[in-house]
Amino acid sequence: MARKGIIAIAVPVVLSALLTAGAAPAQSQVPLQSPIDITPSSIRINPHLPQLEISYGHHAAGDLHYVRKDAAAANGCTVRDHEETEEFEVEPGAGHVTLSGVRYDLVQFHFHTPSEHRFAGHADPLEMHLVHRSAAGALLVIGVPLRVGAASTVDSVLAHLAPECGEEVHLEDIDLNTLLPVNRATARYTGSLTTAPFTEGVQWFVMGEKTVTQATVSRFQSLFYAGNARPVQPLNGRKVEVELPHL
């Protein structure tokens, strides 16, 4: 059964979380790594979360390139490292988000198969990570699960994958706004990068799913046939904050 937006992701676990909302929150411990499995016990309802203001351009250009992790290996051009991916580098100024008065510019977005974040154990075929950086170097990442359905802007981005050892694919006129779901409610937590050096202190905002065609999923998975997703990491006392009034 199709789920729409964050409602489909969060509501089943939110209802369970409401039953224990009065319990004292667990104390966070290190390490605080990503990705995580968003479970009923990890949800915390917070009606006072600051708004994530999104300002994405409708006509952005950029280059899709292959992120290599095994450049020193003799067979690096043919063997897939589990931390490699296809990454779209966005032209400067094409998009940004603002949180509590701080601006984070969209730097790039990339893809993982299967989805790195899980929802009560469920994984989607793909996940897109939109990486933003503030002037001070702080990182904010929006995660969007991708499942099979109607074609979307993601299909246009991944129509021609960049080779590991070859030219980038230049794309014009990408509507960045349409990369995100219409319902922009989020599930938020503090974690890390999911590839080395696994830097912590990353603000994660997980949204509801978007759809892509089966052809796009198959094309990406045929390149990363063994997957390129990091396993879920222990919560270590963290809570995932959900904007219940906006669901």
Side-chain angles (χ1 to χ4, degrees):
M1 180 180 295
R3 298 175 298 171
K4 294 184 179 179
I6 199 69
I7 295 177
I9 293 175
V11 163
V13 291
V14 165
L15 294 177
S16 177
L18 285 173
L19 300 177
T20 58
Q27 295 299 312
S28 295
Q29 303 173 24
V30 292
L32 304 179
Q33 291 284 300
S34 297
I36 61 171
D37 185 9
I38 299 175
T39 62
S41 61
S42 71
I43 292 290
R44 179 170 64 189
I45 310 306
N46 185 349
H48 306 295
L49 290 172
Q51 181 180 359
L52 181 67
E53 301 175 11
I54 299 171
S55 302
Y56 280 4
H58 291 281
H59 304 284
D63 296 304
L64 184 71
H65 65 272
Y66 189 101
V67 177
R68 296 190 66 188
K69 294 288 186 174
D70 55 5
N75 60 352
C77 290
T78 55
V79 174
R80 305 293 172 221
D81 185 278
H82 68 284
E83 289 191 354
E84 296 179 337
T85 189
E86 294 278 335
E87 178 179 287
F88 186 85
E89 185 175 353
V90 180
E91 60 183 354
H96 69 273
V97 300
T98 304
L99 180 69
S100 299
V102 179
R103 172 171 168 151
Y104 298 80
D105 285 292
L106 177 62
V107 179
Q108 50 95 346
F109 56 91
H110 60 269
F111 302 88
H112 297 273
T113 186
S115 64
E116 292 200 306
H117 288 92
R118 303 293 176 98
F119 305 97
H122 171 79
D124 285 295
L126 301 176
E127 183 174 341
M128 176 172 56
H129 291 165
L130 299 105
V131 181
H132 307 73
R133 182 181 294 113
S134 73
L139 295 175
L140 184 155
V141 183
I142 296 176
V144 180
L146 302 171
R147 60 176 47 189
V148 174
S152 69
T153 300
V154 174
D155 292 283
S156 300
V157 174
L158 297 179
H160 301 285
L161 301 181
E164 181 168 2
C165 299
E167 296 296 321
E168 299 177 329
V169 178
H170 184 72
L171 297 171
E172 295 277 357
D173 205 27
I174 297 297
D175 188 346
L176 297 177
N177 279 278
T178 56
L179 293 173
L180 302 178
V182 174
N183 184 340
R184 296 187 176 179
T186 58
R188 313 178 182 188
Y189 77 99
T190 301
S192 73
L193 298 178
T194 63
T195 57
F198 307 109
T199 306
E200 294 187 347
V202 177
Q203 297 182 79
W204 277 95
F205 289 71
V206 182
M207 290 188 174
E209 78 277 354
K210 288 283 289 185
T211 59
V212 294
T213 64
Q214 180 61 60
T216 292
V217 171
S218 298
R219 184 183 308 113
F220 192 86
Q221 290 182 338
S222 68
L223 184 61
F224 299 98
Y225 47 85
N228 66 339
R230 188 188 192 193
V232 293
Q233 304 296 302
L235 280 170
N236 288 335
R238 286 173 289 179
K239 292 294 181 179
V240 179
E241 295 190 309
V242 175
E243 310 150 276
L244 185 62
H246 302 293
L247 297 180

